[in-house]
Amino acid sequence: MSVRDLIPWGRANGNQVPSGLRDDNRDPFLSLHREVNRLFDDVFRGFGSGLPTFGSGSAFSAGWPRIEISDKEIKVTAEVPGLEETDIEVLLNDGVLTLKGEKRSESEDKGRNFSERYYGRFERRIPLGVEVKDDQVDARFKNGVLTVTLPKSEKAQSQVKRIAIKS
């Protein structure tokens, strides 16, 4: 591809289409390269940026874990299938909730000369943004779902401000 191909058509040569886009000069490897890039873009588009966001989503999107905020509490729900409560650690430090976990799985079949090992680790830090009652934080684990409830302090509850909606 030459530098001329980077110039949008219609500037110097009338309505001429860049040579990289003409069918008669198309390189099959360049075409394959573009298709593979498009495929990867389509597949990985849903994974998000990894930044914490509030809302729902799949376990691997930017919306994981799911966070619900009400006037009185913050509720964080994380789906962690295949893990036990002993595999998960929940920490609260300086207004940041941290969820950590690790899964280890090993299987071996000596009859088939087969062994498989899987190790997976995750850590998610969620800035709360409000003051919570540290002594009343509750974490529960049931059927692969971790639910952490953080009650807001009276000060945080009193700072709620109603905003008028204009049309």
Side-chain angles (χ1 to χ4, degrees):
M1 178 183 287
S2 70
V3 175
R4 288 191 137 171
D5 292 336
L6 298 175
I7 300 172
W9 57 90
R11 280 198 179 156
N13 302 0
N15 290 332
Q16 184 178 1
V17 177
S19 63
L21 299 177
R22 274 188 250 140
D23 289 334
D24 56 352
N25 290 339
R26 184 169 257 178
D27 180 12
F29 291 108
L30 182 60
S31 176
L32 177 64
H33 179 73
R34 285 185 182 139
E35 287 298 313
V36 170
N37 282 344
R38 186 190 58 76
L39 176 69
F40 276 101
D41 288 345
D42 289 347
V43 169
F44 291 111
R45 183 172 296 133
F47 285 100
S49 64
L51 299 174
T53 59
F54 299 112
S56 63
S58 69
F60 298 107
S61 72
W64 183 87
R66 182 181 168 139
I67 299 173
E68 297 175 15
I69 301 174
S70 70
D71 290 341
K72 297 187 184 232
E73 67 184 11
I74 299 170
K75 186 184 260 185
V76 178
T77 306
E79 295 178 17
V80 286
L83 293 180
E84 300 293 327
E85 59 265 14
T86 56
D87 300 330
I88 301 170
E89 186 177 9
V90 179
L91 304 168
L92 180 62
N93 186 19
D94 289 334
V96 177
L97 178 69
T98 303
L99 306 177
K100 295 181 183 181
E102 184 175 8
K103 182 177 182 178
R104 294 174 171 245
S105 176
E106 297 182 18
S107 62
E108 188 172 350
D109 187 357
K110 291 188 179 196
R112 294 187 190 175
N113 294 328
F114 172 77
S115 67
E116 183 176 59
R117 291 176 183 81
Y118 171 77
Y119 300 96
R121 183 180 289 194
F122 70 88
E123 180 173 331
R124 182 66 58 149
R125 295 172 189 246
I126 306 158
L128 300 175
V130 295
E131 201 176 296
V132 295
K133 299 177 184 175
D134 297 346
D135 56 339
Q136 295 181 10
V137 174
D138 181 46
R140 300 194 183 265
F141 186 84
K142 184 176 181 184
N143 297 331
V145 178
L146 172 68
T147 304
V148 182
T149 306
L150 304 115
K152 291 182 183 179
S153 68
E154 285 78 18
K155 180 182 173 186
Q157 290 179 26
S158 68
Q159 290 178 344
V160 173
K161 180 181 176 184
R162 179 170 228 102
I163 300 171
I165 301 172
K166 300 173 186 171
S167 58

